[in-house]
Amino acid sequence: GIQVEQSPPDLILQEGANSTLRCNFSDSVNNLQWFHQNPWGQLINLFYIPSGTKQNGRLSATTVATERYSLLYISSSQTTDSGVYFCAVGIGNFNKFYFGSGTKLNVKP
Amino acid sequence: DSGVTQTPKHLITATGQRVTLRCSPRSGDLSVYWYQQSLDQGLQFLIQYYNGEERAKGNILERFSAQQFPDLHSELNLSSLELGDSALYFCASSVRRDAEAFFGQGTRLTVV
């Protein structure tokens, strides 16, 4: 099956710092999404981005489908950004979703 | 609020028991997905339904089964529960196969 690798696995930032999270995938995909899992376990949609670049406030994402990677940028990080960030890719006729193992972000005040 | 509703939020049950988790997708969404998130396995795809029909299967145990009803809500049945089945179970829905998927808040199952 498809491999979805996220890096780094853990990240500690000081509030106000910027960061880049990476997602590599091993095969062509129908779509790609980034999620933030908050400390209460809720999965929050950040971006639906099968290709191209999108921005939403302090967050932006870029997917280069031909090179099989996606990047999530977090600027001016805040303590509320803490949690686990997941990349998920959809493959096949019925878009089976596969998740990466996540990047655990801890933003310190 | 994603619009996907899962009940119950928490469930504690004993080994050997059977439970049913319920998911109501967003209005208009035909696809429903089930995922299991345990500490050592990450988020694992279990099964997908589209408009009442099973479309894809992942790492779903034979003790687990699911269905999607005509009103598009879905149920995940877990039987002969074991301690290792303790996990967060998520349901997600999307309007079509390649559209954005939205996740419910999950059901936290604890097997004691």
Side-chain angles (χ1 to χ4, degrees), chain A residues 45-80:
Chain A
N45 287 38
L46 296 178
F47 293 102
Y48 167 71
I49 187 165
S51 63
T53 297
K54 291 187 177 180
Q55 180 154 7
N56 184 2
R58 297 180 296 103
L59 273 58
S60 64
T62 295
T63 296
V64 183
T66 53
E67 297 186 22
R68 298 182 183 166
Y69 73 90
S70 183
L71 302 173
L72 177 69
Y73 305 96
I74 304 174
S75 64
S76 304
S77 57
Q78 301 175 357
T79 55
T80 51

Side-chain angles (χ1 to χ4, degrees), chain A residues 30-31 33 35 37 40-41 43 45 48 86 92-97 99, chain B residues 33 35 37 43 45 48 55-57 88 90 97-103:
Chain A
N30 299 326
N31 68 12
Q33 290 187 232
F35 297 90
Q37 188 167 36
W40 296 272
L43 280 168
N45 287 38
Y48 167 71
F86 287 104
N93 287 333
F94 289 96
N95 206 43
K96 205 156 86 168
F97 254 123
F99 279 78
Chain B
Y33 308 78
Y35 286 82
Q37 186 179 30
L43 274 148
F45 170 75
Q48 182 204 1
R55 290 300 190 182
K57 249 183 177 178
L88 193 51
F90 285 104
R97 69 173 183 89
D98 58 346
E100 185 174 6
F102 293 85
F103 281 72

Side-chain angles (χ1 to χ4, degrees), chain B residues 1-7 21-34 47-53 67-76 90-96 100-106:
Chain B
D1 184 1
S2 68
V4 180
T5 303
Q6 289 187 246
T7 55
L21 313 184
R22 182 187 170 100
C23 170
S24 294
R26 295 187 320 152
S27 177
D29 284 2
L30 300 178
S31 268
V32 170
Y33 308 78
W34 285 98
I47 198 163
Q48 182 204 1
Y49 283 83
Y50 180 83
N51 202 20
E53 293 189 19
Q67 54 184 326
Q68 186 179 28
F69 294 87
D71 66 352
L72 300 178
H73 92 272
S74 179
E75 293 181 356
L76 179 67
F90 285 104
C91 165
S93 74
S94 64
V95 65
R96 62 178 190 273
E100 185 174 6
F102 293 85
F103 281 72
Q105 61 193 11

Side-chain angles (χ1 to χ4, degrees), chain B residues 2 8 12 14 17-18 20 23 37-38 42-44 48-49 53 56 61-62 70 78 80 85 89 108 111:
Chain B
S2 68
I12 301 175
Q17 295 298 304
R18 172 189 168 95
T20 297
C23 170
Q37 186 179 30
S38 51
L43 274 148
Q44 299 289 315
Q48 182 204 1
Y49 283 83
E53 293 189 19
L61 300 172
E62 285 191 12
L78 315 176
S80 303
D85 297 327
Y89 291 84
R108 189 172 296 276
V111 183

